[in-house]
Coordinates of all heavy atoms in Angstrom, one line a residue:
M1 N 52.5 170.4 -51.4 CA 51.6 169.3 -51.7 C 51.9 168.2 -50.7 O 53.0 167.9 -50.4 CB 51.9 168.8 -53.1 CG 51.4 169.8 -54.2 SD 50.6 168.9 -55.6 CE 52.1 168.0 -56.2
A2 N 50.8 167.6 -50.3 CA 51.0 166.4 -49.5 C 50.2 165.2 -50.1 O 49.0 165.0 -49.9 CB 50.4 166.7 -48.1
L3 N 50.9 164.6 -51.0 CA 50.2 163.5 -51.8 C 50.7 162.1 -51.3 O 51.9 161.9 -51.0 CB 50.5 163.6 -53.3 CG 49.9 164.8 -54.0 CD1 50.3 164.8 -55.4 CD2 48.4 164.8 -53.8
V4 N 49.7 161.2 -51.2 CA 50.0 159.9 -50.8 C 49.5 158.9 -51.9 O 48.3 159.1 -52.3 CB 49.4 159.6 -49.4 CG1 49.4 158.1 -49.1 CG2 50.2 160.3 -48.3
N5 N 50.2 157.9 -52.2 CA 49.7 156.9 -53.1 C 49.0 155.8 -52.2 O 49.7 155.0 -51.6 CB 50.9 156.3 -53.9 CG 50.4 155.1 -54.8 OD1 49.2 154.9 -55.0 ND2 51.4 154.5 -55.5
V6 N 47.7 155.9 -52.2 CA 47.0 154.9 -51.3 C 47.2 153.5 -51.6 O 47.1 152.6 -50.8 CB 45.5 155.2 -51.2 CG1 45.2 156.5 -50.5 CG2 44.8 155.2 -52.5
M7 N 47.6 153.3 -52.9 CA 47.9 151.9 -53.3 C 49.0 151.3 -52.5 O 49.0 150.1 -52.3 CB 48.1 151.8 -54.8 CG 48.0 150.5 -55.5 SD 46.4 149.7 -55.2 CE 45.5 150.2 -56.7
E8 N 50.0 152.1 -52.2 CA 51.1 151.6 -51.4 C 50.7 151.0 -50.0 O 51.1 149.9 -49.6 CB 52.1 152.7 -51.1 CG 52.9 153.1 -52.3 CD 54.0 154.2 -52.0 OE1 54.3 154.3 -50.8 OE2 54.4 154.8 -52.9
K9 N 49.8 151.7 -49.4 CA 49.3 151.3 -48.1 C 48.4 150.0 -48.3 O 48.5 149.1 -47.5 CB 48.4 152.5 -47.5 CG 47.6 152.1 -46.4 CD 48.3 152.1 -45.1 CE 47.4 151.8 -43.9 NZ 48.0 150.8 -43.0
I10 N 47.6 150.0 -49.3 CA 46.7 148.9 -49.6 C 47.5 147.6 -49.8 O 47.3 146.6 -49.3 CB 45.8 149.2 -50.8 CG1 44.8 150.3 -50.4 CG2 45.0 147.9 -51.2 CD1 44.1 150.9 -51.6
V11 N 48.6 147.8 -50.7 CA 49.4 146.6 -51.0 C 50.2 146.1 -49.8 O 50.3 144.9 -49.6 CB 50.4 147.0 -52.2 CG1 51.5 146.0 -52.3 CG2 49.6 147.1 -53.5
Y12 N 50.7 147.1 -49.0 CA 51.4 146.7 -47.8 C 50.5 145.9 -46.9 O 50.9 144.8 -46.4 CB 51.9 148.0 -47.1 CG 52.7 147.7 -45.9 CD1 54.1 147.4 -46.0 CD2 52.2 147.6 -44.6 CE1 54.9 147.1 -44.9 CE2 53.0 147.4 -43.5 CZ 54.3 147.1 -43.7 OH 55.1 146.8 -42.6
D13 N 49.3 146.3 -46.7 CA 48.3 145.6 -45.8 C 48.0 144.3 -46.3 O 47.9 143.3 -45.6 CB 47.0 146.4 -45.6 CG 47.3 147.7 -44.7 OD1 48.3 147.8 -44.1 OD2 46.3 148.5 -44.6
K14 N 47.7 144.2 -47.6 CA 47.3 142.9 -48.3 C 48.5 141.9 -48.2 O 48.3 140.8 -48.0 CB 46.9 143.2 -49.7 CG 46.5 142.0 -50.5 CD 45.4 141.3 -49.9 CE 44.0 142.0 -50.0 NZ 42.9 141.2 -49.4
L15 N 49.7 142.4 -48.4 CA 50.9 141.6 -48.3 C 51.0 141.0 -46.9 O 51.2 139.8 -46.8 CB 52.1 142.5 -48.7 CG 53.4 141.8 -49.0 CD1 53.3 140.8 -50.2 CD2 54.5 142.8 -49.4
E16 N 50.9 141.8 -45.9 CA 51.0 141.3 -44.5 C 49.9 140.2 -44.3 O 50.2 139.2 -43.7 CB 50.7 142.5 -43.6 CG 51.9 143.2 -43.1 CD 51.7 144.0 -41.8 OE1 50.6 144.4 -41.6 OE2 52.7 144.1 -41.1
E17 N 48.7 140.5 -44.8 CA 47.6 139.6 -44.6 C 47.9 138.2 -45.3 O 47.8 137.2 -44.7 CB 46.3 140.2 -45.1 CG 45.1 139.4 -44.9 CD 44.0 139.9 -45.8 OE1 43.8 141.1 -45.9 OE2 43.3 139.1 -46.4
M18 N 48.3 138.3 -46.5 CA 48.6 137.1 -47.3 C 49.8 136.3 -46.8 O 49.8 135.1 -46.8 CB 48.8 137.4 -48.8 CG 47.5 137.8 -49.5 SD 47.8 137.9 -51.3 CE 46.1 137.9 -51.9
L19 N 50.8 137.0 -46.3 CA 52.0 136.4 -45.8 C 51.8 135.5 -44.6 O 52.6 134.7 -44.2 CB 53.1 137.4 -45.6 CG 53.8 137.9 -46.9 CD1 54.8 139.0 -46.6 CD2 54.5 136.7 -47.7
K20 N 50.7 135.8 -43.8 CA 50.4 135.0 -42.6 C 50.3 133.6 -42.9 O 50.6 132.7 -42.1 CB 49.2 135.6 -42.0 CG 49.4 136.8 -41.2 CD 48.1 137.3 -40.5 CE 48.3 138.7 -40.0 NZ 47.0 139.4 -39.9
T21 N 49.8 133.3 -44.1 CA 49.6 131.9 -44.5 C 50.6 131.4 -45.5 O 50.5 130.3 -46.0 CB 48.2 131.7 -45.1 OG1 48.0 132.6 -46.2 CG2 47.1 132.0 -44.0
E22 N 51.6 132.2 -45.8 CA 52.6 131.8 -46.8 C 53.9 131.3 -46.0 O 54.3 132.0 -45.1 CB 53.0 132.9 -47.7 CG 52.0 133.3 -48.7 CD 51.8 132.4 -49.8 OE1 52.8 131.6 -50.1 OE2 50.7 132.3 -50.4
N23 N 54.4 130.2 -46.5 CA 55.7 129.7 -45.9 C 56.9 130.1 -46.7 O 57.5 129.3 -47.4 CB 55.5 128.2 -45.7 CG 56.7 127.6 -44.9 OD1 57.3 128.4 -44.1 ND2 57.0 126.4 -45.1
C24 N 57.2 131.4 -46.7 CA 58.3 131.9 -47.6 C 59.1 132.9 -46.7 O 58.8 133.2 -45.6 CB 57.8 132.6 -48.8 SG 56.8 134.1 -48.5
C25 N 60.2 133.3 -47.3 CA 61.1 134.2 -46.6 C 60.3 135.6 -46.4 O 59.7 136.1 -47.4 CB 62.4 134.5 -47.4 SG 63.5 135.7 -46.6
K26 N 60.4 136.1 -45.2 CA 59.7 137.4 -45.0 C 60.7 138.4 -44.4 O 60.3 139.3 -43.6 CB 58.6 137.1 -43.9 CG 57.5 136.3 -44.5 CD 56.6 135.6 -43.4 CE 55.8 134.5 -44.1 NZ 55.1 133.6 -43.1
C27 N 61.9 138.4 -44.9 CA 62.9 139.4 -44.5 C 62.5 140.7 -45.2 O 61.7 140.8 -46.1 CB 64.3 139.0 -44.8 SG 64.7 139.1 -46.5
E28 N 63.1 141.8 -44.7 CA 62.9 143.1 -45.2 C 63.1 143.2 -46.7 O 62.3 143.9 -47.4 CB 63.8 144.1 -44.5 CG 63.1 145.5 -44.3 CD 64.0 146.4 -43.3 OE1 64.1 146.0 -42.2 OE2 64.4 147.4 -43.8
R29 N 64.1 142.6 -47.1 CA 64.5 142.7 -48.6 C 63.4 142.0 -49.4 O 63.0 142.6 -50.5 CB 65.9 142.0 -48.7 CG 66.4 142.2 -50.1 CD 67.9 142.0 -50.1 NE 68.4 141.8 -51.4 CZ 69.6 141.5 -51.7 NH1 70.5 141.3 -50.8 NH2 70.0 141.4 -53.0
C30 N 63.0 140.8 -49.0 CA 62.0 140.1 -49.8 C 60.7 140.9 -49.8 O 60.0 141.0 -50.8 CB 61.8 138.7 -49.3 SG 63.2 137.6 -49.7
L31 N 60.3 141.4 -48.6 CA 59.1 142.2 -48.5 C 59.1 143.4 -49.4 O 58.1 143.7 -50.1 CB 58.9 142.7 -47.1 CG 58.5 141.6 -46.0 CD1 58.3 142.3 -44.7 CD2 57.3 140.8 -46.4
E32 N 60.2 144.1 -49.5 CA 60.4 145.2 -50.4 C 60.3 144.8 -51.8 O 59.6 145.5 -52.6 CB 61.7 145.9 -50.2 CG 61.6 147.1 -49.2 CD 62.9 147.9 -49.1 OE1 63.7 147.9 -50.1 OE2 63.1 148.5 -48.0
D33 N 60.9 143.7 -52.2 CA 60.8 143.2 -53.6 C 59.3 142.9 -53.9 O 58.9 143.2 -55.0 CB 61.6 141.9 -53.7 CG 63.1 142.3 -53.8 OD1 63.5 143.5 -54.0 OD2 63.9 141.3 -53.7
M34 N 58.6 142.2 -53.0 CA 57.2 141.9 -53.2 C 56.4 143.1 -53.4 O 55.5 143.2 -54.3 CB 56.7 141.1 -52.1 CG 57.3 139.7 -52.0 SD 56.8 138.9 -50.4 CE 57.8 137.5 -50.4
E35 N 56.6 144.1 -52.5 CA 55.8 145.4 -52.6 C 56.1 146.0 -54.0 O 55.2 146.5 -54.6 CB 56.3 146.3 -51.5 CG 55.4 146.3 -50.3 CD 55.8 147.4 -49.4 OE1 56.7 147.2 -48.5 OE2 55.3 148.6 -49.5
A36 N 57.4 146.1 -54.4 CA 57.7 146.8 -55.6 C 57.1 146.0 -56.8 O 56.5 146.7 -57.7 CB 59.2 146.8 -55.8
I37 N 57.1 144.7 -56.8 CA 56.6 144.0 -58.0 C 55.1 144.2 -58.1 O 54.5 144.4 -59.1 CB 56.9 142.5 -57.8 CG1 58.4 142.3 -58.1 CG2 56.1 141.6 -58.8 CD1 59.0 140.9 -57.7
A38 N 54.4 144.1 -56.9 CA 52.9 144.3 -56.9 C 52.6 145.7 -57.3 O 51.7 145.9 -58.1 CB 52.4 143.9 -55.5
L39 N 53.3 146.7 -56.8 CA 52.9 148.1 -57.1 C 53.2 148.4 -58.5 O 52.4 149.2 -59.1 CB 53.7 149.0 -56.2 CG 53.2 149.1 -54.8 CD1 54.2 149.9 -53.9 CD2 51.8 149.8 -54.7
N40 N 54.2 147.8 -59.1 CA 54.4 148.0 -60.6 C 53.3 147.5 -61.5 O 53.1 147.9 -62.6 CB 55.7 147.5 -61.0 CG 56.9 148.3 -60.5 OD1 56.7 149.5 -60.4 ND2 58.1 147.7 -60.4
K41 N 52.5 146.6 -60.9 CA 51.4 146.0 -61.7 C 50.1 146.7 -61.5 O 49.2 146.5 -62.2 CB 51.2 144.5 -61.3 CG 52.3 143.6 -61.6 CD 52.1 143.1 -63.1 CE 53.0 142.0 -63.5 NZ 54.4 142.0 -63.1
L42 N 50.1 147.6 -60.5 CA 48.9 148.3 -60.2 C 48.9 149.8 -60.5 O 50.0 150.3 -60.4 CB 48.6 148.0 -58.7 CG 48.3 146.6 -58.3 CD1 48.4 146.4 -56.8 CD2 46.9 146.2 -58.7
P43 N 47.8 150.4 -60.7 CA 47.8 151.8 -61.0 C 48.0 152.6 -59.7 O 47.6 152.1 -58.6 CB 46.4 152.1 -61.5 CG 45.5 151.0 -61.0 CD 46.4 149.8 -60.8
A44 N 48.8 153.7 -59.8 CA 49.0 154.5 -58.6 C 47.7 155.2 -58.3 O 46.9 155.6 -59.3 CB 50.1 155.5 -58.8
R45 N 47.4 155.4 -57.1 CA 46.1 156.2 -56.7 C 46.5 157.3 -55.7 O 46.6 157.0 -54.5 CB 45.1 155.2 -56.0 CG 44.5 154.3 -57.0 CD 43.3 154.9 -57.7 NE 42.6 153.9 -58.5 CZ 42.9 153.8 -59.8 NH1 43.8 154.5 -60.4 NH2 42.3 152.9 -60.6
Y46 N 46.8 158.4 -56.2 CA 47.3 159.5 -55.4 C 46.1 160.3 -54.8 O 45.1 160.6 -55.5 CB 48.2 160.5 -56.1 CG 49.6 159.9 -56.3 CD1 49.9 159.3 -57.5 CD2 50.5 159.9 -55.2 CE1 51.2 158.7 -57.6 CE2 51.7 159.4 -55.4 CZ 52.1 158.7 -56.6 OH 53.3 158.2 -56.7
V47 N 46.2 160.6 -53.5 CA 45.2 161.5 -52.9 C 45.9 162.5 -52.1 O 47.0 162.2 -51.6 CB 44.1 160.7 -52.0 CG1 43.3 159.7 -52.9 CG2 44.8 160.0 -50.9
S48 N 45.3 163.6 -51.9 CA 45.8 164.6 -51.0 C 45.4 164.3 -49.6 O 44.3 164.0 -49.3 CB 45.3 166.0 -51.4 OG 45.6 166.9 -50.3
T49 N 46.4 164.3 -48.7 CA 46.1 164.0 -47.3 C 45.4 165.2 -46.6 O 44.9 165.0 -45.5 CB 47.4 163.7 -46.5 OG1 48.3 164.7 -46.7 CG2 48.1 162.4 -47.0
R50 N 45.4 166.3 -47.3 CA 44.9 167.5 -46.7 C 43.4 167.5 -46.6 O 42.8 168.2 -45.9 CB 45.4 168.7 -47.5 CG 45.7 169.9 -46.6 CD 46.4 170.9 -47.3 NE 47.8 170.5 -47.7 CZ 48.5 171.2 -48.6 NH1 48.1 172.2 -49.2 NH2 49.7 170.7 -48.9
N51 N 42.7 166.8 -47.5 CA 41.3 166.9 -47.6 C 40.6 165.9 -46.6 O 39.4 165.9 -46.5 CB 40.8 166.6 -49.0 CG 41.0 165.2 -49.5 OD1 41.4 164.3 -48.7 ND2 40.9 165.0 -50.8
G52 N 41.3 165.2 -45.9 CA 40.7 164.3 -44.8 C 39.9 163.2 -45.3 O 39.2 162.5 -44.5
E53 N 39.9 162.9 -46.6 CA 39.1 161.9 -47.2 C 39.9 160.6 -47.5 O 39.5 159.8 -48.3 CB 38.3 162.3 -48.4 CG 37.3 163.4 -48.1 CD 36.7 164.0 -49.3 OE1 36.9 163.4 -50.4 OE2 36.0 165.0 -49.2
L54 N 41.1 160.6 -47.0 CA 42.1 159.6 -47.4 C 41.5 158.2 -47.2 O 41.5 157.3 -48.1 CB 43.3 159.7 -46.5 CG 44.4 158.6 -46.8 CD1 45.0 158.7 -48.2 CD2 45.5 158.8 -45.8
F55 N 40.8 158.0 -46.0 CA 40.4 156.6 -45.8 C 39.2 156.2 -46.5 O 39.0 155.0 -46.9 CB 40.3 156.4 -44.3 CG 41.6 156.3 -43.6 CD1 42.1 157.4 -42.9 CD2 42.4 155.2 -43.7 CE1 43.4 157.3 -42.4 CE2 43.6 155.1 -43.2 CZ 44.1 156.2 -42.5
S56 N 38.3 157.1 -46.8 CA 37.1 156.8 -47.6 C 37.6 156.5 -49.1 O 37.1 155.6 -49.7 CB 36.1 157.8 -47.6 OG 36.6 159.1 -48.1
K57 N 38.6 157.2 -49.5 CA 39.1 157.0 -50.9 C 39.9 155.6 -50.9 O 39.8 154.9 -51.9 CB 40.1 158.1 -51.3 CG 39.3 159.3 -51.6 CD 40.1 160.4 -52.4 CE 39.2 161.5 -52.7 NZ 39.9 162.7 -53.2
L58 N 40.5 155.3 -49.8 CA 41.3 154.1 -49.7 C 40.3 152.9 -49.8 O 40.5 152.0 -50.6 CB 42.0 154.1 -48.4 CG 43.1 153.0 -48.2 CD1 44.3 153.7 -47.6 CD2 42.7 152.0 -47.3
N59 N 39.2 153.0 -49.1 CA 38.2 152.0 -49.1 C 37.6 151.8 -50.5 O 37.3 150.7 -51.0 CB 37.1 152.2 -48.1 CG 37.6 151.9 -46.7 OD1 38.5 151.1 -46.5 ND2 37.1 152.6 -45.7
A60 N 37.3 152.9 -51.2 CA 36.7 152.9 -52.5 C 37.7 152.2 -53.5 O 37.3 151.4 -54.3 CB 36.4 154.3 -53.0
T61 N 39.0 152.5 -53.3 CA 40.0 151.9 -54.2 C 40.1 150.4 -54.0 O 40.2 149.7 -54.9 CB 41.4 152.6 -53.9 OG1 41.3 154.0 -54.1 CG2 42.4 152.0 -54.8
V62 N 40.0 150.0 -52.7 CA 40.0 148.6 -52.4 C 38.9 147.9 -53.0 O 39.0 146.8 -53.7 CB 40.1 148.3 -50.9 CG1 39.9 146.9 -50.6 CG2 41.4 148.8 -50.3
R63 N 37.7 148.5 -52.9 CA 36.5 147.8 -53.5 C 36.6 147.7 -55.0 O 36.3 146.7 -55.6 CB 35.2 148.6 -53.1 CG 34.7 148.2 -51.8 CD 33.2 148.7 -51.6 NE 33.1 150.1 -51.8 CZ 33.3 151.0 -50.8 NH1 33.6 150.6 -49.6 NH2 33.2 152.3 -51.1
Q64 N 37.1 148.8 -55.6 CA 37.1 148.8 -57.1 C 38.2 147.8 -57.6 O 38.0 147.2 -58.7 CB 37.5 150.2 -57.6 CG 36.3 151.1 -57.6 CD 36.8 152.6 -57.8 OE1 38.0 152.8 -58.2 NE2 36.0 153.5 -57.4
S65 N 39.3 147.7 -56.9 CA 40.4 146.9 -57.4 C 40.7 145.7 -56.7 O 41.8 145.1 -56.8 CB 41.6 147.8 -57.5 OG 41.3 149.1 -57.9
A66 N 39.8 145.2 -55.8 CA 40.1 144.1 -54.9 C 40.7 142.8 -55.7 O 41.7 142.3 -55.2 CB 38.9 143.6 -54.2
V67 N 40.1 142.5 -56.8 CA 40.6 141.3 -57.5 C 42.0 141.5 -58.1 O 42.9 140.7 -57.9 CB 39.6 140.9 -58.7 CG1 40.2 139.8 -59.5 CG2 38.2 140.5 -58.1
D68 N 42.2 142.7 -58.7 CA 43.5 143.0 -59.3 C 44.6 143.1 -58.2 O 45.7 142.6 -58.4 CB 43.5 144.4 -59.9 CG 42.7 144.4 -61.2 OD1 42.4 143.3 -61.7 OD2 42.4 145.5 -61.7
I69 N 44.2 143.6 -57.0 CA 45.2 143.7 -55.9 C 45.6 142.3 -55.4 O 46.7 142.0 -55.2 CB 44.6 144.6 -54.8 CG1 44.5 146.0 -55.2 CG2 45.5 144.5 -53.5 CD1 43.7 146.9 -54.3
N70 N 44.6 141.5 -55.3 CA 44.8 140.1 -54.8 C 45.8 139.4 -55.8 O 46.7 138.7 -55.3 CB 43.5 139.3 -54.7 CG 42.8 139.5 -53.4 OD1 43.5 139.6 -52.3 ND2 41.5 139.6 -53.4
I71 N 45.5 139.5 -57.1 CA 46.3 138.8 -58.1 C 47.7 139.4 -58.1 O 48.7 138.6 -58.0 CB 45.7 139.0 -59.5 CG1 44.4 138.2 -59.5 CG2 46.6 138.5 -60.5 CD1 43.5 138.5 -60.8
A72 N 47.9 140.7 -58.0 CA 49.2 141.3 -58.1 C 50.0 140.9 -56.9 O 51.2 140.6 -57.0 CB 49.1 142.8 -58.2
V73 N 49.4 140.9 -55.7 CA 50.1 140.6 -54.5 C 50.5 139.1 -54.4 O 51.6 138.7 -54.1 CB 49.4 141.0 -53.2 CG1 50.1 140.5 -51.9 CG2 49.2 142.6 -53.2
S74 N 49.6 138.2 -54.8 CA 49.9 136.8 -54.7 C 50.9 136.4 -55.8 O 51.8 135.6 -55.6 CB 48.7 135.9 -54.8 OG 48.0 136.2 -56.0
N75 N 50.9 137.1 -57.0 CA 51.9 136.9 -58.0 C 53.3 137.4 -57.5 O 54.3 136.7 -57.7 CB 51.6 137.6 -59.3 CG 50.6 136.9 -60.1 OD1 50.2 135.7 -59.8 ND2 50.0 137.5 -61.1
A76 N 53.3 138.5 -56.8 CA 54.6 139.0 -56.3 C 55.2 138.1 -55.2 O 56.4 137.9 -55.2 CB 54.3 140.4 -55.7
I77 N 54.3 137.6 -54.4 CA 54.8 136.6 -53.4 C 55.4 135.4 -54.0 O 56.5 134.9 -53.7 CB 53.7 136.2 -52.4 CG1 53.2 137.4 -51.6 CG2 54.1 135.1 -51.5 CD1 52.0 137.2 -50.7
A78 N 54.7 134.9 -55.0 CA 55.2 133.7 -55.7 C 56.5 133.9 -56.4 O 57.4 133.1 -56.4 CB 54.1 133.2 -56.7
C79 N 56.6 135.1 -57.1 CA 57.8 135.5 -57.8 C 59.0 135.6 -56.9 O 60.0 135.0 -57.2 CB 57.5 136.8 -58.5 SG 58.8 137.4 -59.5
V80 N 58.8 136.3 -55.8 CA 60.0 136.6 -54.9 C 60.3 135.3 -54.2 O 61.5 135.0 -54.0 CB 59.7 137.7 -53.9 CG1 60.8 137.8 -52.9 CG2 59.6 139.0 -54.7
S81 N 59.3 134.5 -53.7 CA 59.7 133.3 -52.9 C 60.3 132.2 -53.8 O 61.1 131.4 -53.3 CB 58.4 132.8 -52.1 OG 57.4 132.6 -53.0
S82 N 60.0 132.3 -55.1 CA 60.6 131.2 -55.9 C 62.0 131.7 -56.3 O 62.9 130.8 -56.7 CB 59.8 131.0 -57.2 OG 59.9 132.1 -58.0
K83 N 62.3 133.0 -56.2 CA 63.6 133.5 -56.6 C 64.0 134.7 -55.8 O 64.0 135.8 -56.2 CB 63.6 133.8 -58.1 CG 65.0 133.7 -58.7 CD 64.9 134.1 -60.2 CE 66.3 134.2 -60.8 NZ 66.3 134.9 -62.0
P84 N 64.3 134.5 -54.5 CA 64.7 135.6 -53.6 C 66.0 136.3 -54.1 O 66.8 135.6 -54.7 CB 64.9 135.0 -52.2 CG 64.5 133.5 -52.3 CD 64.4 133.2 -53.8
S85 N 66.1 137.6 -53.9 CA 67.3 138.3 -54.4 C 68.5 138.1 -53.4 O 69.3 139.0 -53.4 CB 66.9 139.7 -54.7 OG 66.5 140.3 -53.5
H86 N 68.5 137.1 -52.6 CA 69.6 136.8 -51.7 C 69.7 135.3 -51.5 O 68.8 134.6 -51.8 CB 69.4 137.5 -50.4 CG 68.1 137.1 -49.7 ND1 68.0 135.9 -49.0 CD2 66.9 137.6 -49.6 CE1 66.8 135.8 -48.5 NE2 66.1 136.8 -48.9
E87 N 70.8 134.9 -50.8 CA 70.9 133.4 -50.6 C 70.3 133.1 -49.2 O 70.4 133.9 -48.3 CB 72.4 133.1 -50.6 CG 72.9 133.1 -52.0 CD 72.1 132.3 -53.0 OE1 71.7 131.2 -52.7 OE2 71.8 132.8 -54.1
Ligands
ZN1 ZN1 64.4 137.2 -47.8

């Protein structure tokens, strides 16, 4: 089986986009924490990479969940930047 959770890729891209305008720590550890927090709030969307429809499914997922994804990612950024797991 070759399954991919497209939500991971979507959240990663959205995080990168939003962080361009955020003045917070962007180290690997904080980025991972933000990704984890956002992904835990969002449903997993697994697709088989074998069927070649990964990107059309990804786009459909973004359209369906755009508002939820924005909220989850901005909450995750706020959460981690207010309390980073390091000094
Ligand atoms: Zn950091």
Side-chain angles (χ1 to χ4, degrees):
M1 287 219 298
L3 291 180
V4 165
N5 179 5
V6 291
M7 197 58 91
E8 286 183 20
K9 166 83 177 133
I10 294 166
V11 163
Y12 185 83
D13 288 349
K14 180 57 74 180
L15 195 56
E16 267 200 332
E17 184 195 317
M18 285 188 165
L19 283 175
K20 281 181 193 156
T21 55
E22 289 287 334
N23 188 23
C24 64
C25 179
K26 290 158 193 169
C27 75
E28 211 170 300
R29 188 160 167 184
C30 287
L31 290 183
E32 265 187 27
D33 285 347
M34 290 170 191
E35 262 188 270
I37 291 168
L39 282 170
N40 282 334
K41 291 277 191 317
L42 294 164
R45 288 277 182 268
Y46 284 98
V47 296
S48 168
T49 54
R50 217 169 292 167
N51 66 14
E53 291 172 16
L54 178 65
F55 287 101
S56 59
K57 287 193 175 169
L58 196 134
N59 287 333
T61 301
V62 171
R63 273 198 303 276
Q64 281 164 18
S65 318
V67 174
D68 288 346
I69 294 166
N70 275 321
I71 293 169
V73 173
S74 58
N75 283 348
I77 294 170
C79 179
V80 173
S81 56
S82 72
K83 208 182 173 195
S85 58
H86 61 78
E87 290 309 314

